[in-house]
Amino acid sequence: MTTQSTGMRGAGGKGMAVSGWTVFAAIMMMFGGVMAIFEGIAAIAEDDVFVSTRNFTFQWSLTGWGWLHLVLGIVVALAGLALFSGATWARVVGIGLAGLSMIANFAWLPWYPFWAIMLIVIDGFVIWALCVGPSRDARDARAA
C-alpha cells in the first residue's frame, strides 16, 4: 500500500508535502476534538444522558469531567489543524495529545461507555497514522 502526498504551500512560499496518513490523522484529531468538546459541554450542563456508576476509581464530579474534556477537546482540535503544516513538532504533539485523550476517555468509560470507546479507537488510529510517518514520495517531494 502506498501513501500519496498532498502538496501544500507554506507561509514562506516554499512547497512542503504532507503525507496522506498525516492528513487522515489531522482530520481524525479535529473530529475527535470536536466530539470531546460536545462531550464536555454535555457534562458541564449535567445532561441526563450520562450513567452514574458507584464505587469507581476516578471520583470526579460530572462538571469536572466536563471541563477536562472541553479543554482537552479544544487543544486536540487545534493540534489537528497544526498537522496540516506537515511540521514534525505537530506530529509529536499530536501523538502526545491523542495519548492523553485516550487516557481521559478510558477514565470516562463509566459515564458514557460507547462514546468513550469510539474516541479511544479514533485516538488509536491517530497515533498509528502519525507513527507511520511520511512516505518516501513525500520525503522526496520535500527535498525537491
Side-chain angles (χ1 to χ4, degrees), residues 21-134:
W21 290 119
T22 304
V23 171
F24 170 77
I27 292 169
M28 288 291 101
M29 279 189 79
M30 289 187 310
F31 175 75
V34 169
M35 293 306 292
I37 290 169
F38 289 147
E39 183 177 58
I41 291 170
I44 291 168
E46 295 188 15
D47 202 351
D48 294 334
V49 299
F50 297 106
V51 176
S52 178
T53 305
R54 294 183 185 177
N55 300 327
F56 192 68
T57 306
F58 308 104
Q59 296 293 332
W60 272 13
S61 70
L62 189 58
T63 305
W65 279 112
W67 282 107
L68 174 83
H69 284 287
L70 180 66
V71 171
L72 189 59
I74 291 168
V75 173
V76 167
L78 291 175
L81 283 173
L83 280 172
F84 285 114
S85 71
T88 303
W89 67 266
R91 296 170 68 86
V92 172
V93 167
I95 291 169
L97 286 174
L100 284 175
S101 179
M102 279 180 107
I103 292 168
N105 282 300
F106 176 75
W108 179 250
L109 276 170
W111 282 274
Y112 207 119
F114 180 75
W115 201 336
I117 290 170
M118 291 308 296
L119 289 176
I120 289 169
V121 169
I122 287 171
D123 290 330
F125 280 125
V126 166
I127 291 172
W128 176 76
L130 291 176
C131 288
V132 167

